Amino acid sequence: MQKIVVLGSSNVDTTLHVENFPKPGETINAQKVTEASGGKGANQAVAAAKSGSETHFISRVGDDALGTWMLDQLTGYGVLTDRVLKTEGVKTGHAYITLNSEGQNDIIIDHGANYELTPKDVEGAKAVIEDADCVIAQLETPIAATIAAFKIAKAAGKTTILNPAPAIKDLPKELLNLTDVITPNETESALLTGITISGDADLEKNAVKLHELGLKYVIITYGSKGAYVSSPVFTGLVPAFKVKAVDTTAAGDTFLGFLAGGLASDLGNLHDATVFACRASSLAVQKLGAQPSIPDRAAVEAALKEG
């Protein structure tokens, strides 16, 4: 069993279901409103746990009812939450999502307690990080905390995976130097490299630029087309599995959790782990919600057998 540590955000997701996105200045009616546990960090932790991995989560929630509810949700999905800290006087993070009939979404985030995560919090989880096979982080929590976690991981010889989302143009060199695998989507990659992705050839150009920044293993998720991998063990496009998307909210997070859950310690099976992650993501987009849509390992393995 893989041991995974995820450092990142915890949000309550409020989703407005609409036929079409409103135009500037337009007022429209929502078809319905739903709530679920979310946040990129929490989503990835749930996905890692559902992949069959022992998963520890480092995060902060508010000292409010939603914070308690988030902890209950995470525990229910099998995530170990002893390093999820309650933050006095601060609200739990909240994401407001507009979801259209095509399964596409817009998201606005109120970070709340997520921005209170500190390097000191990470130091308190040092033993957990040193015992892990892999550490995952995103950019919905302070970068200083991520750097602290990756320093501990690298000193212990563990794999680090950075999901640079939401996109930030100039990531600290220190963070990039501590990252083994970077996993931007095409928009995030273009911001990092300055190279717009308008076709498959641009994926290779982006990967080359990311390698020049010191990143050895690059995976650019490419929406309905799949994921482009550039690494010492495999380079090429891993095609997506063709499905009818209902809600893409947690697609990328599902990919990350299952990628980590499928990776060997030497990263030699990167291609197979990417296929595994793509299949998991294809199942997630066929259901509504973030964490509720994430499949378990048995469902993904069964789907892979079906093709």
Side-chain angles (χ1 to χ4, degrees):
M1 177 188 290
Q2 285 277 85
K3 293 183 178 180
I4 296 172
V5 170
V6 180
L7 179 145
S9 56
S10 301
N11 291 326
V12 176
D13 289 348
T14 297
T15 301
L16 303 174
H17 301 257
V18 299
E19 180 66 26
N20 298 299
F21 294 127
K23 299 178 179 67
E26 182 183 15
T27 299
I28 64 173
N29 292 319
Q31 296 167 332
K32 65 177 178 177
V33 179
T34 58
E35 285 196 334
S37 50
K40 294 193 73 63
N43 293 345
Q44 291 172 19
V46 169
K50 286 192 171 188
S51 79
S53 302
E54 177 185 306
T55 304
H56 295 259
F57 188 34
I58 302 172
S59 187
R60 276 192 173 270
V61 295
D63 63 344
D64 50 15
L66 290 177
T68 300
W69 181 76
M70 279 292 304
L71 286 168
D72 290 343
Q73 293 293 304
L74 289 164
T75 301
Y77 286 122
V79 177
L80 300 171
T81 60
D82 52 310
R83 298 298 171 180
V84 179
L85 306 175
K86 282 202 168 186
T87 312
E88 187 175 350
V90 180
K91 295 189 301 182
T92 298
H94 209 133
Y96 301 89
I97 303 166
T98 306
L99 177 69
N100 74 5
S101 60
E102 299 298 317
Q104 300 300 313
N105 60 64
D106 286 334
I107 304 174
I108 299 173
I109 296 174
D110 175 10
H111 291 284
N114 291 310
Y115 272 14
E116 302 298 317
L117 191 66
T118 68
K120 185 177 179 180
D121 298 334
V122 173
E123 285 294 328
K126 182 177 180 181
V128 172
I129 295 171
E130 290 176 336
D131 189 48
D133 295 301
C134 153
V135 178
I136 306 172
Q138 327 78 36
L139 300 178
E140 287 185 343
T141 49
I143 288 177
T146 300
I147 289 174
F150 278 17
K151 281 183 176 178
I152 295 170
K154 293 307 296 175
K158 310 304 182 180
T159 299
T160 55
I161 301 177
L162 178 64
N163 178 217
I168 294 177
K169 184 177 181 181
D170 297 310
L171 285 175
K173 185 67 174 176
E174 183 179 17
L175 178 58
L176 296 178
N177 288 340
L178 292 165
T179 299
D180 291 315
V181 185
I182 193 165
T183 61
N185 63 24
E186 67 266 36
T187 302
E188 294 151 1
S189 182
L191 187 63
L192 288 170
T193 64
I195 303 170
T196 301
I197 297 177
S198 55
D200 293 357
D202 297 319
L203 293 167
E204 182 180 358
K205 294 175 184 177
N206 268 256
V208 168
K209 182 63 176 181
L210 291 169
H211 289 315
E212 291 174 356
L213 293 174
L215 296 153
K216 192 173 182 181
Y217 293 83
V218 173
I219 302 176
I220 302 171
T221 55
Y222 199 28
S224 61
K225 293 186 178 180
Y228 182 79
V229 180
S230 182
S231 76
V233 295
F234 172 79
T235 294
L237 182 66
V238 176
F241 292 83
K242 301 301 181 184
V243 297
K244 170 62 176 176
V246 173
D247 182 359
T248 61
T249 302
D253 298 329
T254 300
F255 181 93
L256 260 293
F258 274 82
L259 176 74
L263 271 178
S265 58
D266 64 356
L267 307 184
N269 69 334
L270 189 60
H271 174 267
D272 290 346
T274 303
V275 173
F276 184 53
C278 282
R279 196 60 174 121
S281 184
S282 76
L283 297 181
V285 300
Q286 295 180 69
K287 295 183 178 179
L288 290 173
Q291 292 168 21
S293 73
I294 300 171
D296 60 22
R297 187 181 190 96
V300 177
E301 289 177 342
L304 282 170
K305 289 179 181 178
E306 295 171 2

